[in-house]
Amino acid sequence: MAFQKVWVVAEAFEGKPLSATLELLTKARELGATVEAWCWGGDVEAYAAGLGEYGASKVYSVGDVGGVLPGVPVAAAMAEAVNGGNKPDAVLFSTGYDPRDIAGRLSAKLNVGVLSNVVGLAEDGTSEHAVFGGTTVVRAAFSGDTPYLYLVRPKSFAAEPGGGGAATVETVSVPDAGAANGAKIVQRHVEERTGPKLDEAAVVVSGGRGLGEAEKFSMIEELAKLLKGAPGASRAIVDAGWVPYSYQVGQTGKTVKPTVYIACGISGATQHMVGMKGSKNIVAINKDQEAPIFSIADLGIVGDVHKVLPKLLDALKNRS
Amino acid sequence: MNVAVCVKQIPDPATPGKLDPSTKTLVREGKLILDDSDAYGVEMALQLVDKAGGGEVTLVSMAPNSEVSGLRTALAMGAHKAILVSDDALKGSDALTTAKVLAAAIQRAGADLILAATESTDGYTGTTPVQVAELLGLPSVTFAKHIEVDGSTVKVNRQTEAGFDEVECPLPCLVTVTAGVVEPRYPSFKGIMAAKGKPVEELKAADLGVEVAVGQQVTDVAPAEERQAGEVVVDEGDAHERIVQFLEQLKVI
Ligand SMILES: Cc1cc2nc3c(=O)[nH]c(=O)nc-3n(C[C@H](O)[C@H](O)[C@H](O)COP(=O)(O)OP(=O)(O)OC[C@H]3O[C@@H](n4cnc5c(N)ncnc54)[C@H](O)[C@@H]3O)c2cc1C
Ligand SMILES: Nc1ncnc2c1ncn2[C@@H]1O[C@H](COP(=O)(O)O)[C@@H](O)[C@H]1O
């Protein structure tokens, strides 16, 4: 089917739409005649222009949801619009904390399925999914009622402005969701982090179990800083508690596509590779010549991270 | 306090996954095991019931071929009983259908708190638990890295992009847990023996009044484009120079 109207669930941070949102708007523009976005939170007016530039003609603003987790109120408002006759053919969500909640809630409310982990989407609504560590592509299609709900992995599509004007903002009230709307945020904790974000950095330097101990992750951080990049990690060292989950690259972590990805002491498990094999250039340092990471590296160094990295850090420091 | 835990029984992730060429869905034949991701929910439930000074932990699972191996593992950890929904009619169910089945089974069990994993190891849609909550009209808190129950309120540290949020939610509700929430225990020998005698109620979709309707199909399976390997150099003490050159070529430095 050809889509007439596509909704995008938009997320913003510090008054700016997330790149994942702009990617979805770009894709939605390719798919449908009309693109509309849904947002929540206070400063929608401020970034509506940005959403318009990437293709949204209208932004539905649910407004401040009063400190509750957004899943319930946003899905309730969207479902009410659909049931009232304002029905899109498809809704695109990015795979993030809140959009995933909204997608699950909306699916159950409207009794329509969700296709998750989407990495490609054709005009006829067929979605692509990377399985078995990205070695296999599965295509899937909906056969039931619209709207079709797609949960898309960030970095699946490029974000390109379409030159549209500012989107009009329509404030939408939230229907009473009763007891379901009971999860309240009482306190936020923000971890200090400097440098570019992992999924937006041009250079990503990741460390794995081959570093041997948590303290050695400082080499990864130092190298990332020297290259103006972001540090990342394999799940092995996230699970071991060396670094926070937000550093994790892979199937259950972030997808990254930097100009250069440098994997240090990472074996290259399929679940790790699916999150970084889209990088433009890959450098790997591993002492095991047989490590699978070498099968996708543009430059593979068979060596000890404890020998190569200190020398590399010195060489880079001497240049600057 | 009574806690229901959703536990998925999956093919051993250590063995390579396979797709059935005719149905194009994941092959789930053979022995299934408890999804590691769900061991955290089971442990959390046991600890919360213990702290509350009483109550039961009921496992809820949907799996083909009357599979109970994974349930026995969780019962051996200490869960009290299990409800298993196994029905050929449910083969190839999507997340929403699975959620309908689990929601109906949970309703039958009755629970003050429902736990599930943030995402399963084999399906990783991550939507099933929230769909369950919506079907039951309950609030939910996803991505828990710490859970405490205080009277009729659950307090959760919810992982976020920037750090974490402290979230409070009245019971009954559903919480999904991450791997950071607790350290699951290994079943003891005594636990394994006790598990053999614990009740597992097996049901069909019709017993729960769930209508099976699958609204999505796999249309095609193909190998992904391969990425070619480049040059591999053995470090002779000067490999860092090669990396510097490489980065210079790319104008990264
Ligand atoms: C459902 C599921 C989801 C998963 N999701 C993810 C995910 O999102 N991201 C992820 O990363 N993993 C994920 N995993 C885990 C994945 O399967 C691997 O276990 C993990 O990626 C391994 O991490 P690692 O490469 O750091 O450790 P290992 O596999 O232990 O590899 C360490 C490597 O370091 C090398 N080494 C050791 N010492 C040195 C040295 N001195 N110098 C140089 N090299 C050295 C070794 O040769 C080895 O290759 C997932 C697994 C499952 C089942
Ligand atoms: N068939 C199932 N039986 C029991 N629990 C399930 C089942 N499917 C999903 N779940 C629960 O929902 C979580 C998320 O699953 P998923 O939506 O597949 O990522 C799982 O980790 C389980 O806790």
Side-chain angles (χ1 to χ4, degrees):
Chain A
M1 70 175 283
F3 294 137
Q4 300 300 314
K5 180 154 75 176
V6 177
W7 281 354
V8 168
V9 169
E11 279 185 291
F13 183 67
E14 292 176 343
K16 273 181 28 201
L18 295 189
S19 50
T21 294
L22 303 179
E23 290 161 21
L24 294 184
L25 289 170
T26 307
K27 187 68 198 180
R29 221 166 64 212
E30 273 172 47
L31 291 173
T34 306
V35 179
E36 297 174 343
W38 281 78
C39 320
W40 65 95
D43 45 5
V44 175
E45 294 284 348
Y47 60 81
L51 298 176
E53 199 187 336
Y54 281 79
S57 55
K58 190 192 247 182
V59 177
Y60 299 99
S61 169
V62 172
D64 182 3
V65 291
V68 301
L69 293 181
V72 170
V74 177
M78 294 177 79
E80 191 172 70
V82 171
N83 291 330
N86 180 7
K87 186 166 147 180
D89 301 301
V91 187
L92 309 186
F93 307 84
S94 62
T95 310
Y97 297 87
D98 293 327
R100 203 151 78 162
D101 284 0
I102 300 168
R105 292 271 172 186
L106 188 62
S107 152
K109 272 188 186 298
L110 299 177
N111 196 29
V112 295
V114 189
L115 282 166
S116 304
N117 293 304
V118 171
V119 297
L121 192 51
E123 264 174 45
D124 66 357
T126 306
S127 57
E128 275 181 24
H129 309 258
V131 302
F132 304 144
T135 55
T136 306
V137 179
V138 161
R139 289 190 177 76
F142 284 107
S143 55
D145 289 342
T146 53
Y148 296 163
L149 311 184
Y150 300 94
L151 258 168
V152 180
R153 307 242 352 156
K155 292 265 181 284
S156 297
F157 311 124
E160 275 158 38
T168 55
V169 178
E170 182 178 325
T171 307
V172 181
S173 62
V174 178
D176 181 12
N181 207 12
K184 271 209 150 56
I185 302 170
V186 291
Q187 179 78 48
R188 307 203 99 130
H189 296 263
V190 176
E191 281 158 9
E192 284 293 327
R193 233 185 137 168
T194 51
K197 287 173 66 188
L198 178 55
D199 50 358
E200 287 170 8
V203 178
V204 172
V205 185
S206 285
R209 191 144 44 195
L211 291 172
E213 51 180 345
E215 287 64 39
K216 292 289 192 287
F217 194 78
S218 60
M219 293 194 295
I220 302 296
E221 280 169 331
E222 202 180 343
L223 181 56
K225 200 164 172 199
L226 283 168
L227 299 174
K228 299 186 181 61
S234 72
R235 172 156 148 185
I237 72 166
V238 171
D239 285 356
W242 297 5
V243 294
Y245 169 77
S246 57
Y247 285 53
Q248 187 173 315
V249 173
Q251 176 181 309
T252 36
K254 295 222 164 57
T255 303
V256 298
K257 293 190 176 173
T259 309
V260 191
Y261 187 87
I262 308 180
C264 309
I266 292 178
S267 60
T270 52
Q271 298 93 348
H272 185 79
M273 296 210 281
V274 72
M276 46 65 76
K277 70 196 285 191
S279 304
K280 286 193 197 71
N281 298 280
I282 298 172
V283 179
I285 309 171
N286 194 304
K287 70 175 185 189
D288 174 11
Q289 187 135 22
E290 305 295 317
I293 191 80
F294 288 133
S295 71
I296 61 160
D298 300 287
L299 176 61
I301 305 290
V302 182
D304 186 338
V305 286
H306 305 297
K307 297 201 175 114
V308 180
L309 284 179
K311 284 189 194 161
L312 179 59
L313 290 170
D314 279 344
L316 291 171
K317 274 186 262 181
N318 288 337
R319 293 169 59 94
S320 51
Chain B
M1 185 176 64
N2 293 320
V3 183
V5 189
C6 299
V7 295
K8 198 168 180 185
Q9 304 179 83
I10 61 166
D12 189 340
T15 60
K18 270 200 313 248
L19 293 172
D20 181 324
S22 62
T23 62
K24 303 196 186 89
T25 54
L26 209 56
V27 176
R28 290 201 170 85
E29 300 300 324
K31 186 172 172 281
L32 303 180
I33 62 170
L34 174 66
D35 187 340
D36 254 352
S37 314
D38 284 322
Y40 300 94
V42 174
E43 179 65 42
M44 195 70 242
L46 292 170
Q47 291 189 15
L48 291 173
V49 164
D50 206 39
K51 264 200 204 125
E56 283 194 328
V57 175
T58 306
L59 309 170
V60 177
S61 189
M62 176 180 124
N65 310 325
S66 303
E67 181 63 61
V68 291
S69 315
L71 289 175
R72 290 287 171 213
T73 305
L75 290 168
M77 288 172 71
H80 299 81
K81 55 190 179 24
I83 299 177
L84 170 68
V85 187
S86 194
D87 193 332
D88 280 348
L90 290 166
K91 275 207 175 120
S93 290
D94 61 0
L96 182 59
T97 307
T98 306
K100 287 177 184 171
V101 167
L102 296 175
I106 289 163
Q107 215 151 28
R108 195 177 169 102
D112 305 301
L113 175 67
I114 304 156
L115 297 179
T118 296
E119 56 186 34
S120 64
T121 297
D122 65 338
Y124 57 100
T125 77
T127 56
T128 313
V130 182
Q131 288 167 321
V132 168
E134 179 64 35
L135 292 166
L136 294 172
L138 296 178
S140 56
V141 186
T142 47
F143 287 92
K145 40 186 244 167
H146 182 79
I147 305 179
E148 259 171 62
V149 173
D150 182 1
S152 59
T153 303
V154 59
K155 297 183 172 176
V156 175
N157 288 350
R158 180 188 194 235
Q159 193 172 288
T160 63
E161 198 48 53
F164 69 94
D165 287 347
E166 286 175 44
V167 178
E168 291 187 4
C169 186
L171 297 174
C173 73
L174 177 142
V175 178
T176 73
V177 300
T178 65
V181 80
V182 271
E183 197 51 50
R185 73 192 70 181
Y186 287 104
S188 64
F189 179 71
K190 211 174 121 213
I192 295 169
M193 295 314 287
K196 297 197 165 111
K198 289 182 176 172
V200 177
E201 183 184 15
E202 189 178 329
L203 301 170
K204 298 273 177 232
D207 297 330
L208 294 166
V210 175
E211 246 180 74
V212 184
V214 177
Q216 58 199 46
Q217 284 82 30
V218 172
T219 56
D220 180 43
V221 179
E225 216 177 288
E226 289 278 343
R227 197 187 163 109
Q228 294 303 319
E231 189 183 359
V232 178
V233 193
V234 178
D235 178 32
E236 307 278 2
D238 56 358
H240 59 284
E241 290 169 11
R242 288 304 314 277
I243 301 177
V244 171
Q245 273 172 17
F246 188 77
L247 296 175
E248 277 173 344
Q249 271 168 24
L250 297 172
K251 301 199 170 29
V252 167
I253 51 173

